[in-house]
Amino acid sequence: MAVLIISSLEDWHARAVIEALAARGVAAELLDLSEFPTRLALSMVFEDGAHRFILSRTGGGRVDFSTVGSVWWRRPQPFGLPATLTDPTHRRFAISEAATAFQGLYQSLDAFWVNDPERDAAAAHKPWQLAVAQEMGLAIPTTLMTSSPEEARDFWRRHEGKVIYKTFRALPDAWRETRQLRPEETALAENVRLTPVIFQRYVEAVADLRVTVIGDEIFAASTDARNGEYPVDVRFNFDTRWVRHALPSTVEDGLRALMRRLGLEYGAIDLRLTPEGQYVFLEINPAGQFLWIEMATGQKIAAALAACLAGPRPAKRNCHP
């Protein structure tokens, strides 16, 4: 059975896993949804007690979903409607119909998903992540999510200004890094009325950690948070050194329980290690990056993901034993 990767050719992570699958002798197909409907045609046929789902490519070639044993829901691209379809109502209708058709196709596949699209979408919501992390006994930052300026100001005062704020979801055209709230920014608190904002007590740390979980396998790496140019958001510390990190078994068990509760097979988890030795859960990205960790530490993450996708397990399987 083949592995289907739903992403794009520009995704280096998808390419790395395709290479790892090829090394195992497993065929992989990359599906870029932005090619629909201009370069892909979808057919779903139900007759004589059977069904078949086919995507045909312009110029030849097709994806026969009956041959797909597992799917990596990596970073699906938006549908690419032709520019000739200009009416906004017609475009919304076309997108709605396509999304509904493909969702039905996904739910009908007798395949193993990394991750199931519905669970992947749910797990990306930060309130749900934190609620589950608490349920699993993981430490989290003191957090306020609010659209009340009064609540925001009170939170900032109670924590003596040691507060960060961040978005619920990053958008390509409205991306913001995690920031520490500055005194002069409290004057902008009234803007909170327009939409909820996440505020958290700043977690002092000796290390930032990226933990990649694939089934029950855990790949942990850390970097010294104190040496970075921007200690508030590790993503902006481009010159820090990442090394392998041994997590306590209790933390590993908590992260595995978190993954099971969220219904995920893959997740990239961010933690902070405090000077007191406490591991604090920040968030999980169901499609987070791992290649920079693999290159820095030598951990074989792409190979582990390929093994998970290609494993000799029955349909509707998962990577957990």
Side-chain angles (χ1 to χ4, degrees), residues 13 34 46-47 55 73 80 93 104-105 151 159 188 212-213 259 268 270 272 280 283-284 286:
H13 289 72
S34 69
F46 300 80
E47 62 182 358
L55 272 174
W73 183 254
F93 177 75
L105 183 155
E151 291 275 357
H159 295 292
L188 302 175
T212 307
V213 185
M259 294 286 289
D270 292 327
R272 296 206 102 189
V280 180
E283 60 185 66
I284 179 171

Side-chain angles (χ1 to χ4, degrees), residues 10-29:
E10 289 71 36
D11 182 5
W12 289 100
H13 289 72
R15 292 187 183 187
V17 173
I18 288 172
E19 290 178 3
L21 286 165
R24 301 176 65 88
V26 176
E29 181 85 32

Side-chain angles (χ1 to χ4, degrees), residues 6-295:
I6 303 179
S7 186
S8 71
L9 285 173
E10 289 71 36
D11 182 5
W12 289 100
H13 289 72
R15 292 187 183 187
V17 173
I18 288 172
E19 290 178 3
L21 286 165
R24 301 176 65 88
V26 176
E29 181 85 32
L30 180 69
L31 174 58
D32 186 343
L33 293 177
S34 69
E35 295 184 335
F36 182 85
T38 55
R39 294 185 293 277
L40 288 173
L42 173 64
S43 295
M44 296 187 285
V45 181
F46 300 80
E47 62 182 358
D48 299 329
H51 59 263
R52 63 181 187 275
F53 305 146
I54 302 292
L55 272 174
S56 302
R57 288 192 167 92
T58 302
R62 67 179 193 168
V63 177
D64 181 348
F65 288 92
S66 67
T67 68
V68 173
S70 58
V71 186
W72 185 21
W73 183 254
R74 163 59 186 160
R75 289 193 174 178
Q77 301 301 298
F79 299 121
L81 294 181
T84 52
L85 185 61
T86 58
D87 185 282
T89 301
H90 294 168
R91 290 185 70 88
R92 285 194 299 271
F93 177 75
I95 289 292
S96 175
E97 290 292 279
T100 303
F102 273 88
Q103 186 61 44
L105 183 155
Y106 303 148
Q107 290 175 311
S108 302
L109 290 185
D110 187 19
F112 163 57
W113 288 83
V114 179
N115 293 304
D116 176 273
E118 291 188 358
R119 292 178 174 179
D120 189 280
H125 296 300
K126 290 184 173 63
W128 175 230
Q129 295 180 9
L130 292 182
V132 173
Q134 282 183 316
E135 183 184 334
M136 297 301 111
L138 296 169
I140 66 169
T142 301
T143 302
L144 170 69
M145 301 176 182
T146 187
S147 61
S148 165
E150 294 77 17
E151 291 275 357
R153 292 191 187 99
D154 180 65
F155 189 82
W156 189 83
R157 285 192 296 267
R158 285 191 293 115
H159 295 292
E160 301 176 340
K162 295 181 179 180
V163 173
I164 62 95
Y165 63 101
K166 59 185 181 182
T167 60
F168 284 84
R169 174 171 291 180
L171 298 176
D173 55 351
W175 192 88
R176 297 290 185 275
E177 74 279 9
T178 298
R179 301 180 183 184
Q180 189 158 6
L181 189 63
R182 301 187 301 269
E184 60 269 22
E185 289 178 309
T186 58
L188 302 175
E190 286 302 316
N191 292 340
V192 172
R193 293 189 190 277
L194 301 175
T195 192
V197 177
I198 301 174
F199 298 96
Q200 290 181 319
R201 170 67 187 263
Y202 177 67
V203 178
E204 299 286 350
V206 297
D208 280 295
L209 287 89
R210 169 55 65 98
V211 183
T212 307
V213 185
I214 302 169
D216 273 346
E217 285 196 83
I218 290 179
F219 302 89
S222 65
T223 186
D224 192 329
R226 297 162 295 184
N227 292 336
E229 297 180 5
Y230 193 63
V232 177
D233 192 332
V234 70
R235 293 171 296 179
F236 286 83
N237 296 332
F238 302 111
D239 297 328
T240 56
R241 179 171 173 260
W242 288 85
V243 297
R244 298 187 186 206
H245 187 97
L247 288 171
S249 59
T250 53
V251 176
E252 289 192 342
D253 291 343
L255 296 180
R256 291 189 182 103
L258 174 81
M259 294 286 289
R260 288 192 176 93
R261 182 71 174 87
L262 293 174
L264 300 179
E265 297 297 335
Y266 174 90
I269 299 170
D270 292 327
L271 307 175
R272 296 206 102 189
L273 176 60
T274 70
E276 296 75 29
Q278 184 180 45
Y279 289 85
V280 180
F281 171 88
L282 300 182
E283 60 185 66
I284 179 171
N285 186 338
Q289 299 183 2
F290 62 81
L291 275 183
W292 99 92
I293 294 295
E294 178 165 319
M295 290 186 288

